[in-house]
Amino acid sequence: MDVAAPLGGRLPTVYRGASVRVASVAAPILWVSSAEGLDRIAIQVPCESPTGTVPISLTFNGQSIAGQVSVFETNPGIVETADWESTDAQRRSGVVIRQDGSYVSASNPALSGETVTGIFTGLGATIEPRITGATGTGQMVPRERVVVGVANQGVPVESVTYAPGRVGVYLVRFTIEGVTATGSVPYAVAVRDGNGNLVFGNSSILDIR
């Protein structure tokens, strides 16, 4: 994998001879990869892209291909990591930071009543607009739009921000309040769209005690 830009700054729209346009807008490139006979390119969908089915094109060294892609107002996702402490090679858990700065894991579970920070993507527009290709500056998302579930129940969301120094990443502070279950419990996220409907992201797990 070849990363297009270091942390901070602004992502390029042309990298290693490749460029992508979404609805005629140049898309910032996060990374390109060539492995096992497959070429991949990761982009940020431009913040100004319209929703619905829009055209997309890829140009590489002067040759182009075109297609269509679906763009949504919001498409939430929990950022996950492999749990190297588990004997289950398929076990993945949400990336969550405790108050002391350590990461939640099976051997370092969050505590009931603790306020932690989850890492997410796809939470949608911010109050102060995001800028395509630019790293976040802590722009806020209305917290009432975001729902976090722990052990199959909603928990209080304290704040939602577009992560400083990152592109397409959100930080959600939430309190594990009223949760009596312990161990590896279900962990979920949803966002209310412009019509007030809940759009759910991927399910994950969170270790608590």
Side-chain angles (χ1 to χ4, degrees):
M1 181 184 299
D2 193 355
V3 179
L7 297 178
R10 195 157 186 156
L11 293 171
T13 56
V14 179
Y15 190 68
R16 301 287 187 183
S19 62
V20 178
R21 302 187 76 86
V22 179
S24 300
V25 179
I29 298 172
L30 285 86
W31 52 259
V32 295
S33 172
S34 181
E36 300 178 351
L38 294 176
D39 296 322
R40 298 179 176 88
I41 183 169
I43 65 169
Q44 178 195 24
V45 176
C47 301
E48 58 269 41
S49 297
T51 57
T53 301
V54 302
I56 185 172
S57 63
L58 167 66
T59 300
F60 180 67
N61 289 340
Q63 296 186 336
S64 298
I65 57 173
Q68 292 185 319
V69 65
S70 295
V71 177
F72 300 96
E73 176 186 341
T74 182
N75 191 15
I78 298 172
V79 176
E80 295 184 308
T81 185
D83 189 344
W84 303 109
E85 299 173 347
S86 172
T87 57
D88 181 359
Q90 303 301 315
R91 185 184 191 274
R92 302 184 67 84
S93 57
V95 179
V96 177
I97 305 170
R98 300 188 63 193
Q99 290 176 318
D100 62 3
S102 63
Y103 287 89
V104 173
S105 67
S107 64
N108 186 41
L111 303 177
S112 179
E114 183 177 6
T115 298
V116 296
T117 301
I119 301 180
F120 300 85
T121 188
L123 301 188
T126 53
I127 297 172
E128 181 184 352
R130 301 158 297 169
I131 299 174
T132 297
T135 54
T137 58
Q139 297 99 315
M140 302 296 294
V141 175
R143 65 178 183 176
E144 61 271 16
R145 280 181 42 202
V146 179
V147 178
V148 174
V150 177
N152 299 314
Q153 65 185 72
V155 296
V157 172
E158 311 297 341
S159 66
V160 184
T161 58
Y162 193 55
R166 302 292 190 273
V167 174
V169 176
Y170 297 78
L171 304 178
V172 180
R173 292 181 66 250
F174 61 91
T175 301
I176 306 172
E177 184 177 292
V179 177
T180 58
T182 59
S184 298
V185 303
Y187 177 42
V189 65
V191 178
R192 298 188 188 279
D193 64 16
N195 296 317
N197 300 313
L198 281 177
V199 180
F200 288 87
N202 57 305
S203 58
S204 189
I205 59 174
L206 177 65
D207 291 293
I208 61 174
R209 66 176 173 87

